[in-house]
Amino acid sequence: MLCRRTRPGNQGSCHFLRLGEWTHKLTTGIVGIGFLETSYLTYLKLTSSEAFCPIGGSPCGDILNSDYALIFGVPLHLVGMVAYGLVAALGLQLTTKKMLPFGIGRSSFQLMVLGTTTSMAAASAYFLFILSTKFSRSTCSYCLLSAFLSFSVDGG
């Protein structure tokens, strides 16, 4: 609860800090970073460009262009970009005071965010397992960043 004194001797006004709004704004910011990262990787994949690898001795392309970077022929980066974009759109909608679209209640939107972020974290856990078993001698800073972001917003 936040309280502010207006005049000496006066109680002033108190209002509750809306933790939910702050959490949705933080979640939206984090997934915005993830959206930018996966957009960059999707662009590289679609243009057949090589990724800049800021950390690690081996080229990121070994991992980013492997068979494990595709889901039913769709680049994993594109799937991640859509997931991050969905959570960002839902988070932005939750932070506004406007009516939610299609008559969907606020709690339903929050459940959609929870379901999507939990799915993202579970997928990241699986992909980290693949990274550690199939590419044990390689590093992928983009993969690790995306996993970190996914775990950071899980339950957001």
Side-chain angles (χ1 to χ4, degrees):
M1 183 164 77
L2 292 174
C3 293
R4 189 174 7 166
R5 232 174 216 213
T6 54
R7 285 186 249 154
N10 188 357
Q11 285 288 344
S13 62
C14 294
H15 37 143
F16 289 95
L17 175 65
R18 298 203 41 164
L19 187 59
E21 289 178 14
W22 182 83
T23 304
H24 293 308
K25 289 178 182 179
L26 180 63
T27 298
T28 303
I30 291 171
V31 297
I33 294 168
F35 181 79
L36 291 175
E37 178 211 13
T38 53
S39 296
Y40 168 69
L41 294 175
T42 300
Y43 170 78
L44 293 178
K45 183 73 171 177
L46 295 176
T47 60
S48 300
S49 301
E50 191 65 32
F52 169 72
C53 300
I55 300 173
S58 63
C60 296
D62 293 350
I63 298 168
L64 297 174
N65 295 320
S66 72
D67 291 338
Y68 294 101
L70 298 173
I71 299 177
F72 302 112
V74 177
L76 182 59
H77 324 300
L78 181 61
V79 174
M81 186 178 80
V82 169
Y84 280 121
L86 174 64
V87 176
L90 292 172
L92 283 172
Q93 190 65 42
L94 284 169
T95 59
T96 64
K97 304 283 186 201
K98 298 177 183 174
M99 294 288 294
L100 299 174
F102 311 114
I104 298 174
R106 187 170 193 77
S107 60
S108 295
F109 257 68
Q110 290 170 333
L111 281 175
M112 286 190 282
V113 169
L114 177 63
T116 306
T117 56
T118 301
S119 299
M120 290 168 63
S124 290
Y126 171 72
F127 294 126
L128 284 175
F129 171 76
I130 295 295
L131 185 65
S132 66
T133 57
K134 304 293 183 186
F135 300 96
S136 59
R137 298 194 188 274
S138 300
T139 58
C140 176
S141 54
Y142 297 109
C143 304
L144 297 175
L145 175 62
S146 188
F148 173 74
L149 295 173
S150 296
F151 290 127
S152 296
V153 298
D154 185 32

